[in-house]
Amino acid sequence: MMSRTNDVYILAAKQISVQPPLSDEWMEAPLRYGEQPYVRAVDPDYKQHFAPNEARRLGKILKRALLTSRQAMTASGIAKPDAVVTATGLGCIDNTELFLDALVREGEALLKPSYFMQSTHNSVSSLIAIDARCHGYNSTYAHNGTSFECALEDTFMQLSRGQIQTALVGAHDEMTPGYFALLSRIGYLGHAPGGFSGEVALSMMLAAKPQERSLCRLRGVEMEYHPTGEALRQALRRLLQGAQCRMEEVDAVMVGLSGQPSNDDAYASICPELFPHKQLLRYKHLFGESYTAPGLGVYAAAVCLHRQRIPAHLFVDCESGEQRGVRHILFYNHFEEKNHSLILLSAC
Amino acid sequence: MEELILQLKQEIIKVLNLEDVKPETIADDAPLFGDGLGLDSIDALELIVLMEKTYGIKLEDPARGREIFKSIRVMAEYIHANRRK
C-alpha cells in the first residue's frame, strides 16, 4: 500500500518473446502476427550461447531464462546480484505436462527424473541463482497475472530500504498448445481478432544506484485488490506523491489492452476516469498475452524512456505520431478486474 | 550384440537429449561417466529408468550402476543377459 520515496534504477533488460530475441528491434520494426491466436517465442540459436552438455537437460523456459539473465548481468556489469526474484504464472509448464502425461500413461514407477526436477515453479529462479553463484535472497512469485508486479514490488521495497543493492528480476512464462487450449476454453485467450497469446522471458537488473547507461528509474509500485474507484485514485495519488511527480508531468500511460473483450472492457471504463486526457500506450499487440506479460510492458516503457521517445505503433490512438522527449510513463494493469497495479517509471 | 549396442546408443541419445552426439561417435568401450560421454548422477537415474522401461530390467541395487554403466558394451552385455522385454 505504501509508496517509498527512494528511487530504484533499471540498469539493463533483456527479453526473449514473440519479438526478435535479445534486441529492441520491436521499437523500429516489430513483428506482426495478424489473426494468429497462438504464437510461440522467437528463440535465438542456443548453440551459440550454451555448450552442448550445458543445455541438453534444460527445457525452453530455462534456456530462455538463463540466457536473458546472463545477458542482463553482462550488460549491467553485475556478475552476482544480491537477490534473484522471479515471476512466473505457470512455471515450467512444458515439463510439468510431460511429467504428468507420463504419470497418467505409465504410472508412478518409471517417471523421468529430469521432467520432475524441472516441473516446479521455482526451478527458474534456482537455476539462475546456481548459474550466477548467488547465495542471497531467492524468491519466486507464482500469482497468475500479478506475478510480475509482486516480484517487482518485493524487489523495489528491498532496494529502496537498503536491504539489498542489486537484484535480478525476471518474468518467465511459456505457453504449450495444451494450456493454450484450456485458457481458450475459459475465455482468457484466443477469442478476439488481433489478440494473441505470447511467451515471456524477461530479465532485468535493478539497483539502488544508477549507472551511466541505466534504462530508467523505477519510482514506485502500488497494488490494490478489488479496489473501488476512490481506492484506485488514492493509490495513484500515493504513487505520484511518493515520487514527487504530478499527473500533468506524466507523458503517457501504458496499459494491458490485449484485444480480449473480457480484459479490455475494464480499461475502457477505468482509464478515462483515472487518467483523463492522457495518451494511452499498449504493448500486448506486439508481445501477446500471458500471465507475466506486464513484465514486457514495463520493459517496453523502460526502453522508451531510455531512448527518450515513444514510437507511433505503441499508441492506442492510431492518429498519434512518435513522441519525443519522454520523461515519465505510468504503467497500469489489471488482472481479471480483481488485481490492479500502478507503476511509475521516469527517465534518468 | 552389435545390433543391441546400436539400439542402446540411439536410446541413450534420445533419453538424455544428446543433440550433437551421433551413435557412431560413441565408442563402445569408452566410459559413459567422467571423461567419456560426460554423464552425471541425474543421467544415471535416467539410465536406470531406461533399463526398466525398455528392457524390463529392474536394478534392485543402485550401487551396481557404477559397474553396469561402465561403457556401452558392458551395459549391452548386462541387458543381453538379463532382459525381460
Side-chain angles (χ1 to χ4, degrees):
Chain A
M1 291 284 288
M2 275 183 60
S3 294
R4 291 98 200 159
T5 51
N6 292 348
D7 281 353
V8 165
Y9 297 85
I10 300 178
L11 305 184
K14 297 292 174 184
Q15 58 83 24
I16 294 173
S17 67
V18 302
Q19 292 297 325
L22 306 169
S23 85
D24 302 332
E25 275 179 53
W26 56 269
M27 282 283 282
E28 319 301 336
L31 296 176
R32 304 281 190 177
Y33 292 97
E35 301 295 301
Q36 287 182 65
Y38 175 57
V39 183
R40 304 299 300 260
V42 182
D43 282 303
D45 181 4
Y46 292 111
K47 287 179 183 171
Q48 289 187 6
H49 301 279
F50 294 111
N53 244 11
E54 186 181 21
R56 69 183 165 86
R57 200 178 284 135
L58 304 180
K60 277 197 172 168
I61 189 174
L62 294 179
K63 283 183 194 165
R64 291 169 186 166
L66 204 52
L67 184 51
T68 53
S69 297
R70 283 180 181 177
Q71 293 220 347
M73 288 190 280
T74 301
S76 61
I78 295 169
K80 194 176 181 182
D82 293 343
V84 177
V85 187
T86 300
T88 179
L90 299 171
C92 303
I93 189 70
D94 196 13
N95 272 324
T96 303
E97 283 186 356
L98 291 169
F99 180 73
L100 292 176
D101 284 347
L103 191 68
V104 170
R105 203 173 49 244
E106 294 161 17
E108 294 180 10
L110 295 169
L111 298 172
K112 279 172 67 67
S114 295
Y115 293 160
F116 173 70
M117 287 160 46
Q118 293 180 15
S119 63
T120 62
H121 283 70
N122 59 6
S123 299
V124 181
S125 211
S126 52
L127 179 72
I128 294 167
I130 290 167
D131 188 62
R133 293 176 172 78
C134 173
H135 301 278
Y137 181 80
N138 190 292
S139 189
T140 299
Y141 286 90
H143 301 342
N144 287 341
T146 59
S147 304
F148 176 73
E149 290 93 322
C150 291
L152 196 65
E153 184 174 44
D154 180 1
T155 308
F156 181 76
M157 285 194 295
Q158 295 199 55
L159 283 167
S160 58
R161 290 172 180 174
Q163 290 172 318
I164 54 173
Q165 291 301 305
T166 56
L168 186 69
V169 179
H172 302 284
D173 265 309
E174 55 189 352
M175 182 63 67
T176 61
Y179 211 87
F180 172 75
L182 292 175
L183 289 178
S184 297
R185 279 168 60 184
I186 62 169
Y188 183 68
L189 289 173
H191 284 270
F196 63 96
S197 83
E199 295 183 302
V200 183
L202 170 74
S203 297
M204 299 194 300
M205 185 63 79
L206 271 64
K209 290 178 183 164
Q211 289 182 348
E212 198 176 328
R213 288 184 300 168
S214 302
L215 292 184
C216 68
R217 285 185 289 169
L218 172 61
R219 314 297 301 281
V221 180
E222 287 285 338
M223 295 177 71
E224 291 284 334
Y225 180 69
H226 265 309
T228 60
E230 181 52 29
L232 258 184
R233 280 190 292 276
Q234 284 180 13
L236 179 57
R237 274 197 295 273
R238 277 198 307 274
L239 181 66
L240 293 170
Q241 281 170 6
Q244 296 177 310
C245 180
R246 289 178 291 115
M247 194 61 197
E248 301 81 70
E249 295 176 285
V250 172
D251 294 285
V253 182
M254 179 81 83
V255 297
L257 289 166
S258 70
Q260 296 286 322
S262 58
N263 171 72
D264 292 358
D265 289 352
Y267 291 107
S269 62
I270 291 169
C271 290
E273 194 186 332
L274 199 58
F275 320 114
H277 316 302
K278 285 295 171 192
Q279 288 274 22
L280 296 183
L281 309 176
R282 56 187 175 151
Y283 60 95
K284 288 182 182 174
H285 67 307
L286 299 182
F287 293 101
E289 177 68 283
S290 70
Y291 285 130
T292 47
L296 290 171
V298 168
Y299 152 75
V303 174
C304 288
L305 287 164
H306 182 58
R307 297 192 179 191
Q308 298 273 294
R309 69 179 187 86
I310 302 171
H313 58 255
L314 288 189
F315 286 94
V316 173
D317 177 4
C318 301
E319 302 296 312
S320 297
E322 178 178 292
Q323 187 177 338
R324 289 186 174 271
V326 189
R327 297 296 303 165
H328 307 280
I329 296 178
L330 185 63
F331 179 87
Y332 166 62
N333 189 59
H334 80 83
F335 175 63
E336 296 181 344
E337 297 185 45
K338 290 183 291 192
N339 305 86
H340 298 250
S341 54
L342 291 156
I343 298 165
L344 182 63
L345 300 164
S346 300
C348 287
Chain B
M1 182 59 69
E2 293 309 309
E3 195 180 325
L4 178 58
I5 284 176
L6 177 62
Q7 183 194 344
L8 191 53
K9 287 178 180 176
Q10 289 166 340
E11 291 278 352
I12 288 173
I13 288 169
K14 185 178 157 197
V15 167
L16 303 185
N17 198 21
L18 302 169
E19 281 179 355
D20 295 328
V21 177
K22 299 272 180 283
E24 56 272 23
T25 61
I26 305 175
D28 296 353
D29 296 304
L32 292 176
F33 295 83
D35 294 339
L37 265 187
L39 305 186
D40 59 24
S41 57
I42 296 163
D43 295 318
L45 290 173
E46 294 280 7
L47 292 181
I48 289 171
V49 173
L50 166 70
M51 294 253 289
E52 185 165 355
K53 195 184 281 188
T54 311
Y55 303 104
I57 300 170
K58 193 173 174 73
L59 210 60
E60 300 289 354
D61 179 9
R64 287 203 65 200
R66 184 183 295 269
E67 171 195 332
I68 295 163
F69 300 144
K70 190 176 172 189
S71 68
I72 289 284
R73 185 181 300 282
V74 173
M75 203 174 156
E77 285 169 354
Y78 185 82
I79 289 169
H80 182 68
N82 296 279
R83 67 186 300 172
R84 293 180 184 175
K85 283 187 185 173

